[in-house]
């Protein structure tokens, strides 16, 4: 036995002994709820002795078409001592497709079961930490994954309703059985108050279930989560990858070969790669229009530099919610806050669940709504997001020296013409903005005379002529200036996993609460991309239909960029880089166009706190480190083979 494992077991045993003693020694006049002291929940119940059970919740669907209602496999860990006292506890629920295929967390933990098929290990720390504090932890295999029946429909009705059925069962509105077919009833041990949590796909399910308005769902904590599957797999008509829904289905599918062929065909036909249109298939997977139905409070966490589940996902959802809400924005990419700001995150999550699931008036809803990482390791709390001081500001584009244009110029005439270079890599496109690079055009502000902040969703409007029926248009905002920044494009997306570990809750021989520590991965660089945006030109009228461009005709096309919150220091230069096709972040359907850009009819719209200086006649010189040599074949797409 390793020293590390032995230490965990000794720690767990000692913790269990303390818990047992504290429960047994409680005087007769002790509070009716022993896990609540001084306005918060405390660990008084034994995790080792917890009730562990696995049940199957029946849904109202049969999308595997076998004539039997689909069932969701649900694994439960709950405090035995609370059950013995007939105390009903709230539930923390994570519904996921990843429990057998891919794992959860930075260490990719999977579920494990004992010889009788009952849950032995739940991934992540939620059960280890919260069960001793008077919560039940419930993990549900989404339909068609792991031990559930049905078929995974990737963000669709089956997926959302299979998770909703679990909330209904916890509130006595659905039926479930144990593995032997005997009835399983939850209302004897839970008060029905449920909070859903999860990162990425798991958090997306929480958003979808909340959008049904289901009663009993009191709060959700979506981490790096999707609110519109169209915006995850399309960028305003631009495909991220062909056959993407089918790919996701294959990765998480837990059913025998052939069982879900009908659903896979529906994914292929419904997603409509041929046009990139938003249609009924995508509307079913768009939770934002139903934000008004959400009853639950919402605690969002997201990486400002997430290039997998991009920031539009949280920003569009956040702006529509009219419930108690809170948001954490980190400088990392697709990373859980547990691996960024661990102690503070666990404490905040604890207080959030205590407030909305245990009903403890701890005041968390009156505290600042937003916590934002402004630089590596530096966090600020603010009353709102976007920043209240940010104002939408229209900024002109100028001709500059004819090669490099200017931002915020008093004279904004001139034009640019360039031909699409589909294999132009991002690193090359944003480097050396004072030189001509085939396939891109660059614009620079004057050096900042005071700090500015971009907080919200920028856009760039381009007046263009295109010699083909369509083209992809790609825009990037760049901060040119030396700074120490989170290295979110590196492996780990801004974190480094260390050899040490820390423990968050109690452990058993099958399920330890100890996780590798992490540190921010930082780098000093002379420039950094602040945000990106993409638009298919033929979808400029509507995402629901293609409107081909006529050669020789001028069109005004707006490219929405991803939401952001970034600060630029005095002396730095703001850059705008525009190109056509982007083969790193998308799969262009039409390439090779020649584009003419009219600067007088083009502009940049920034949610700006502070002011940009007026540009001079020419752009400032901005030296950057040499761009990497072009790769052949092109660099792999950054989002593959990532999963949401």
């Amino acid at each position: 036995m390793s020293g590390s494992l032995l230490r965990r077991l000794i720690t767990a045993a000692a913790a269990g002994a303390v818990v047992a003693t504290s429960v047994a020694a409680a005087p007769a006049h002790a509070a009716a709820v022993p896990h609540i002291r001084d306005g918060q929940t405390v660990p008084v119940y034994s995790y080792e002795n917890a009730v562990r059970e696995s049940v199957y919740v029946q849904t109202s669907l049969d999308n595997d078409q076998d004539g039997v209602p689909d069932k969701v496999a649900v694994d439960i860990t709950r405090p035995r001592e609370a059950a013995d006292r007939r105390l009903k506890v709230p539930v923390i629920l994570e519904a996921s497709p990843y429990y057998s295929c891919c794992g959860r967390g930075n260490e990719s933990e999977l579920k494990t079961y004992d010889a009788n098929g009952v849950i032995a290990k739940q991934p992540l720390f939620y059960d280890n930490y919260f069960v001793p504090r008077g919560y039940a932890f419930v993990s549900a295999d989404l339909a068609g994954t792991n031990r559930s029946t049905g078929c995974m429909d990737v963000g669709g009705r089956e997926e959302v309703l299979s998770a909703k059925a679990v909330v209904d069962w916890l509130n006595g509105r659905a039926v479930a059985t144990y593995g032997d077919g005997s009835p399983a009833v939850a209302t004897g041990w839970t008060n029905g108050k449920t909070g859903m949590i999860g990162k990425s796909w798991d958090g997306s399910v929480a958003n979808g279930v909340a959008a049904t308005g289901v009663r009993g769902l009191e709060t959700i904590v979506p981490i790096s989560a999707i609110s519109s599957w169209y915006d995850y797999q399309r960028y305003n008509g631009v495909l991220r990858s062909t056959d993407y829904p089918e790919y996701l289905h294959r990765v998480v599918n837990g059913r025998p070969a052939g069982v879900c062929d009908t659903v896979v065909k529906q994914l292929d036909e419904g997603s409509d790669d041929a046009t990139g249109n938003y249609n009924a298939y995508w509307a079913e997977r768009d939770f934002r229009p139903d934000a008004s139905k959400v009853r639950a409070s919402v605690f969002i966490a997201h990486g400002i530099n997430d290039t997998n589940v991009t920031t539009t996902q949280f920003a569009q959802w956040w702006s529509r919610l009219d419930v108690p809400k809170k948001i954490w924005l980190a400088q990392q990419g697709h990373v859980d806050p547990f691996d960024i700001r661990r102690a503070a995150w666990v404490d905040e999550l604890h207080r959030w669940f205590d407030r909305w699931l245990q009903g403890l008036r701890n005041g968390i809803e009156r505290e600042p709504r937003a916590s934002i990482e402004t630089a590596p390791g530096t966090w600020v709390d603010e009353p709102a997001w976007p920043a209240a001081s940010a104002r939408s500001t229209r900024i002109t584009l100028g001709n500059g020296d004819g090669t490099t244009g200017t931002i915020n110029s008093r004279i904004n005439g001139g034009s640019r013409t360039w031909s699409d270079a589909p294999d132009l890599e991002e690193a090359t496109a944003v480097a050396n903005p004072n030189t001509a690079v085939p396939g891109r055009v660059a614009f620079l502000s004057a050096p900042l005379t005071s700090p500015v902040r971009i907080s919200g969703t920028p856009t760039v409007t381009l007046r263009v002529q295109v010699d083909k029926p369509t083209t992809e248009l790609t825009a990037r905002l760049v901060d040119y200036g030396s700074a120490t920044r989170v290295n979110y494009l590196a492996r780990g997306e801004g974190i480094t996993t260390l050899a040490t570990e820390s423990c968050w809750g109690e452990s058993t021989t099958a399920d330890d609460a100890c996780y590798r520590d992490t540190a921010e991965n930082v780098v000093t660089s002379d420039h950094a991309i602040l945000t990106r945006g993409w638009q298919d030109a033929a979808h400029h009228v509507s995402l629901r239909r293609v409107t081909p461009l006529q050669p020789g005709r001028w069109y005004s096309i707006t490219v929405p960029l991803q939401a952001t919150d970034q600060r630029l220091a005095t002396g730095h230069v703001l850059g705008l880089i525009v190109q056509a096709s982007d083969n790193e972040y998308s799969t262009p359907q039409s390439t090779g166009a020649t584009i003419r850009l009219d600067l007088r009819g083009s502009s940049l719209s920034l949610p700006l706190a502070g002011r940009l200086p007026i540009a001079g006649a020419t752009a400032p010189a901005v030296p950057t480190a040499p761009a990497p040599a072009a790769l052949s074949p092109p660099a792999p797409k950054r989002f593959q083979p990532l999963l949401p």
Side-chain angles (χ1 to χ4, degrees):
M1 179 181 300
S2 70
S4 176
L5 178 57
L6 179 61
R7 173 175 53 78
R8 295 177 200 165
L9 297 181
I10 293 172
T11 300
V18 171
V19 168
T21 301
S22 64
V23 172
H29 61 276
V33 184
H35 59 265
I36 297 176
R37 296 179 189 167
D38 299 323
Q40 66 177 349
T41 58
V42 294
V44 299
Y45 303 127
S46 168
Y47 177 70
E48 185 174 15
N49 195 40
V51 176
R52 292 175 173 82
E53 53 191 350
S54 301
V55 305
Y56 295 85
V57 176
Q58 181 175 301
T59 76
S60 59
L61 304 173
D62 177 24
N63 82 338
D64 58 10
Q65 300 178 2
D66 63 355
V68 179
D70 299 334
K71 291 185 177 181
V72 181
V74 176
D75 297 309
I76 303 160
T77 308
R78 57 187 176 90
R80 187 177 301 275
E81 297 90 345
D84 291 343
R85 290 171 178 259
R86 297 186 178 180
L87 292 177
K88 294 186 177 182
V89 298
V91 168
I92 297 170
L93 166 63
E94 184 174 43
S96 175
Y98 291 138
Y99 287 129
S100 64
C101 74
C102 313
R104 306 309 302 127
N106 191 38
E107 298 174 39
S108 300
E109 291 189 310
L110 300 171
K111 285 183 177 180
T112 63
Y113 300 89
D114 67 15
N116 297 316
V118 175
I119 189 68
K121 175 184 175 64
Q122 302 261 37
L124 304 176
F125 76 99
Y126 304 133
D127 54 329
N128 309 80
Y129 186 87
F130 285 104
V131 169
R133 288 170 167 79
Y135 292 83
F137 178 72
V138 173
S139 59
D141 301 326
L142 292 178
T145 70
N146 202 14
R147 304 200 298 177
S148 295
T149 61
C151 290
M152 164 54 66
D153 59 355
V154 188
R157 185 167 177 263
E158 172 91 352
E159 176 180 305
V160 171
L161 294 185
S162 69
K164 176 182 176 291
V166 180
V167 179
D168 284 332
W169 174 66
L170 293 167
N171 284 273
R173 299 188 297 265
V175 299
T177 60
Y178 293 105
D180 62 4
S182 61
V185 179
T187 52
W189 56 264
T190 177
N191 59 15
K193 290 186 176 183
T194 303
M196 292 188 71
I197 190 171
K199 179 194 169 193
S200 203
W201 201 330
D202 308 355
S204 311
V205 178
N207 284 338
V209 175
T212 70
V214 61
R215 292 186 180 274
L217 184 61
E218 303 297 326
T219 192
I220 62 171
V221 184
I223 302 166
S224 304
I226 293 166
S227 59
S228 163
W229 281 85
Y230 179 86
D231 280 356
Y232 179 69
Q233 297 180 21
R234 304 282 187 271
Y235 292 134
N236 302 300
V238 177
L239 273 66
R240 290 189 82 169
S241 180
T242 56
D243 299 324
Y244 206 12
E246 302 97 293
Y247 160 75
L248 294 174
H249 173 94
R250 288 195 302 272
V251 171
V252 302
N253 179 43
R255 304 307 309 282
V259 169
C260 296
D261 285 354
T262 299
V263 170
V264 173
K265 182 179 179 182
Q266 292 168 349
L267 295 176
D268 179 43
E269 295 174 350
S271 56
D272 188 15
D273 281 357
T275 68
N277 289 349
Y278 182 97
N279 55 23
Y281 170 94
W282 295 111
E284 179 184 314
R285 292 158 174 80
D286 186 353
F287 311 137
R288 297 169 191 166
D290 291 325
S292 61
K293 297 180 182 179
V294 175
R295 304 171 184 270
S297 61
V298 181
F299 186 0
I300 290 173
H302 214 106
I304 292 172
N305 292 304
D306 193 337
T307 60
N308 180 2
V309 178
T310 53
T311 53
T312 291
Q313 298 292 345
F314 83 77
Q316 293 284 341
W317 185 233
W318 171 266
S319 67
R320 289 167 168 79
L321 293 169
D322 187 22
V323 294
K325 58 185 181 179
K326 191 174 185 67
I327 191 166
W328 275 28
L329 298 176
Q331 288 287 335
Q332 277 71 21
H334 199 60
V335 181
D336 193 307
F338 182 75
D339 296 313
I340 300 171
R341 196 185 180 196
R342 186 167 295 180
W345 172 250
V346 174
D347 179 67
E348 196 82 344
L349 194 60
H350 180 187
R351 296 179 64 233
W352 187 262
F353 282 147
D354 274 2
R355 171 66 183 89
W356 301 110
L357 299 182
Q358 301 279 358
L360 301 180
R361 301 283 179 174
N362 55 22
I364 194 169
E365 75 276 18
R366 297 189 299 275
E367 296 174 1
R369 277 186 169 183
S371 189
I372 303 166
E373 188 177 19
T374 60
T378 300
W379 289 77
V380 298
D381 292 336
E382 297 192 344
W385 191 87
S389 58
R391 297 287 182 270
S392 179
T393 306
R394 182 182 179 274
I395 298 167
T396 59
L397 302 180
N399 192 42
D401 63 4
T403 294
T404 304
T406 55
I407 292 175
N408 204 26
S409 173
R410 295 187 188 278
I411 302 173
N412 68 323
S415 66
R416 292 289 186 279
T417 299
W418 78 97
S419 294
D420 180 23
D423 295 339
L424 176 63
E425 297 174 20
E426 179 176 78
T428 303
V430 302
N432 304 310
N434 299 107
T435 63
V437 173
R440 73 106 197 259
V441 291
F443 302 86
L444 299 175
S445 75
L448 301 183
T449 55
S450 59
V452 300
R453 178 181 178 186
I454 301 172
S455 180
T457 302
T459 63
V460 58
T461 297
L462 305 173
R463 188 168 185 262
V464 296
Q465 283 183 340
V466 182
D467 69 347
K468 288 197 171 187
T470 190
T471 185
E472 181 176 336
L473 292 170
T474 303
R476 293 175 171 88
L477 288 181
V478 186
D479 175 11
Y480 290 102
S482 182
T484 299
R485 300 174 168 102
V486 171
N487 191 15
Y488 70 90
L489 289 176
R491 182 175 181 177
E493 302 194 47
I495 64 166
T496 299
T497 302
L498 306 177
T500 60
E501 60 182 21
S502 55
C503 303
W504 301 85
E506 297 181 22
S507 299
T508 67
T509 54
D511 188 347
D512 77 75
C514 303
Y515 294 87
R516 290 284 190 90
D517 296 319
T518 60
E520 285 194 302
N521 179 358
V522 299
V523 62
T524 299
S525 59
D526 54 25
H527 67 284
I529 297 166
L530 302 175
T531 182
R532 305 163 176 84
W534 304 266
Q535 174 73 45
D536 174 55
H539 281 89
H540 72 284
V541 174
S542 172
L543 294 178
R544 292 183 178 272
R545 65 179 185 274
V546 173
T547 306
L549 307 184
Q550 298 178 20
R553 179 175 174 180
W554 287 101
Y555 294 88
S556 183
I557 299 176
T558 296
V559 182
L561 280 72
Q562 295 295 317
T564 191
D565 198 296
Q566 301 282 15
R567 290 160 168 80
L568 285 75
T570 300
H572 284 211
V573 171
L574 177 65
L576 169 66
I577 306 297
V578 179
Q579 63 188 90
S581 298
D582 178 0
N583 204 40
E584 282 183 87
Y585 289 87
S586 68
T587 301
Q589 299 293 86
S590 179
T591 61
T594 295
I595 301 129
R596 185 182 179 195
L597 175 66
D598 172 28
L599 299 183
R600 188 178 298 278
S602 302
S603 62
L604 178 63
S605 179
L606 294 180
L608 195 63
R611 292 187 176 184
L612 293 181
I614 300 298
T618 59
V622 177
T624 66
L631 297 178
S632 182
K637 303 178 195 309
R638 292 194 182 278
F639 64 89
Q640 288 187 325
L642 296 176
L643 298 170

